[in-house]
Structures are given as C-alpha cells and as structure tokens.
Amino acid sequence: DGGITQSPKYLFRKEGQNVTLSCEQNLNHDAMYWYRQDPGQGLRLIYYSQIVNDFQKGDIAEGYSVSREKKESFPLTVTSAQKNPTAFYLCASSMWNEQFFGPGTRLTVL
Amino acid sequence: EDQVTQSPEALRLQEGESSSLNCSYTVSGLRGLFWYRQDPGKGPEFLFTLYSAGEEKEKERLKATLTKKESFLHITAPKPEDSATYLCAVQGRYNTDKLIFGTGTRLQVFP
C-alpha cells in the first residue's frame, strides 16, 4: 500500500533533549512538509523540501532542523532550543497541489 | 496577508439534519482551496480541491462549493460517522509552496 508513515506515534522527551521524528513515504512524491498542530490553531508549517538535498524554512522553523538525503525520507529533529515543543506533529507529501498527510506523532515534554 | 477563517468553530447536528460549514479566505490570487477531514489523534484526510469560483465537488454526503471569497462544505443528511473536524486550506498563486490552514470546524452528529 502506498502511503506516509510517521514514527513513533507517541514520544516523550525530557527538557534539554533533542528528539528526531521519522517520516517516510512510498508515494514517489517530490515534496515533503512538516507541520505542527496545537489546540485552537491551524496547522503551521515548520520546514518543507521540494527536492532531495534541499529544504526551506517555514513559518515556525526556530528550534527545529531537518534533512532530506533520500526522496522517501524527511526526518524532523526537535532541538532543546524549541521552547514549547509539546504538540502534534504532522508530515505531508505532495506531487502537484494536494498534500497528503501521515498519521502524526504526539510529542510531550516532561 | 493570506488568511483563512472557518465558521462555526463547533457544530452539533442531529442525524439527518443537513447543514453547511463556511471557509472564508483572503489570498493574493487563489491557486487552489482544499478541504480535509481530521479524526481525533489522526492526520488530516484529503477530501476535495477547488480551483475556480463556481466549481463544485461531491463525495457521498459532502459537497464543496467555491466563490471568490469563500467556500462551503455542505453536509446532507449526516450520519454519526461524519463526526470529525473539517479543515480548509488555501494555496496562493504567488506562493505555491505553502498551504494556509484555518482552525477547523468540529462537527458532532448525534443519532
């Protein structure tokens, strides 16, 4: 089955730790995206990548980093510099206009 | 600034009671307007793309329409399984890398 997978589903982090969220797609899509979702707010774009080895900052990139070494993979690292990292993180991919989303990772900082 | 506003924030319907959700937008040249369904704790599921005023798309009990300033998601004779949050997003013609999302309408359908 083609689709987007994210792991883990739940992640707990202690303050001061870096954590990496995984996103993999087998849809052969060129573009991939990371969003953050908080209660009462719309999805906010963190980073996106249109092609391998290239990525751009979105609206809220501070405290996050990404890499795009393979077309299928777009991992997101939440660094200790991110002041309020507890949120639901969503990965998406697209070939043309429509973006398709993965199941999400819920990150909680303890 | 590109912006999307969805209303109402929450909507409670009796099973079979038809209604509409609104998505008002301001964007510098609309390239596309997208509707998604999101169940609690899950990623958004793509429903429709609309490109130009007057366009309509249908899927089961859902019909999406588009004008130059807003889109409506009409729900005809809803069932409890239609309960979800419905998200609207726009893509501007001059900034095609991004989608601008609204905060969603949380729909609850009671039997």
Side-chain angles (χ1 to χ4, degrees):
Chain A
D1 283 341
I4 304 171
T5 58
Q6 292 186 242
S7 61
K9 185 175 176 66
Y10 299 98
L11 186 56
F12 298 90
R13 190 194 92 173
K14 294 182 180 179
E15 286 194 15
Q17 285 183 336
N18 293 354
V19 291
T20 297
L21 283 58
S22 169
C23 177
E24 304 276 334
Q25 55 98 0
N26 61 3
L27 300 168
N28 200 32
H29 287 172
D30 290 319
M32 297 186 74
Y33 308 81
W34 274 106
Y35 291 89
R36 170 181 172 141
Q37 187 173 37
D38 296 282
Q41 297 193 43
L43 275 67
R44 292 182 291 167
L45 183 64
I46 305 172
Y47 268 99
Y48 63 100
S49 169
Q50 301 284 16
I51 57 172
V52 175
N53 292 322
D54 189 43
F55 48 82
Q56 286 76 41
K57 294 182 179 179
D59 299 318
I60 56 165
E62 185 175 352
Y64 300 97
S65 66
V66 294
S67 63
R68 186 87 186 274
E69 297 177 1
K70 299 186 299 181
K71 187 176 184 177
E72 303 79 21
S73 178
F74 191 40
L76 173 74
T77 297
V78 184
T79 75
S80 58
Q82 169 51 233
K83 299 304 180 186
N84 186 22
T86 293
F88 190 48
Y89 290 87
L90 289 159
C91 178
S93 70
S94 72
M95 179 60 79
W96 301 110
N97 294 329
E98 292 84 4
Q99 292 186 17
F100 297 92
F101 287 83
T105 292
R106 185 165 299 280
L107 173 63
T108 303
V109 174
L110 303 174
Chain B
E1 180 183 347
D2 297 345
Q3 193 170 359
V4 175
T5 303
Q6 291 188 247
S7 62
E9 287 188 16
L11 182 62
R12 293 163 58 99
L13 297 174
Q14 201 74 31
E15 184 173 2
E17 179 187 1
S18 301
S19 188
S20 296
L21 282 56
N22 178 263
C23 172
S24 298
Y25 64 90
T26 55
V27 65
S28 302
L30 179 70
R31 177 165 178 165
L33 184 141
F34 308 88
W35 282 99
Y36 290 86
R37 170 192 169 125
Q38 186 175 26
D39 292 302
K42 297 189 177 181
E45 173 191 348
F46 171 76
L47 293 173
F48 304 110
T49 306
L50 300 167
Y51 292 105
S52 57
E55 189 176 1
E56 298 183 353
K57 294 270 181 78
E58 287 190 65
K59 179 180 180 180
E60 297 181 353
R61 295 177 293 281
L62 301 176
K63 183 170 81 171
T65 62
L66 180 64
T67 73
K68 289 186 177 180
K69 294 183 178 181
E70 58 192 349
S71 176
F72 292 95
L73 185 65
H74 306 278
I75 303 177
T76 302
K79 298 182 177 181
E81 53 261 43
D82 295 321
S83 298
T85 296
Y86 291 86
L87 303 175
C88 173
V90 297
Q91 182 184 44
R93 189 175 302 279
Y94 307 108
N95 190 1
T96 59
D97 294 335
K98 295 176 54 174
L99 294 186
I100 308 300
F101 279 86
T103 54
T105 293
R106 187 174 68 255
L107 174 66
Q108 293 179 291
V109 182
F110 295 91

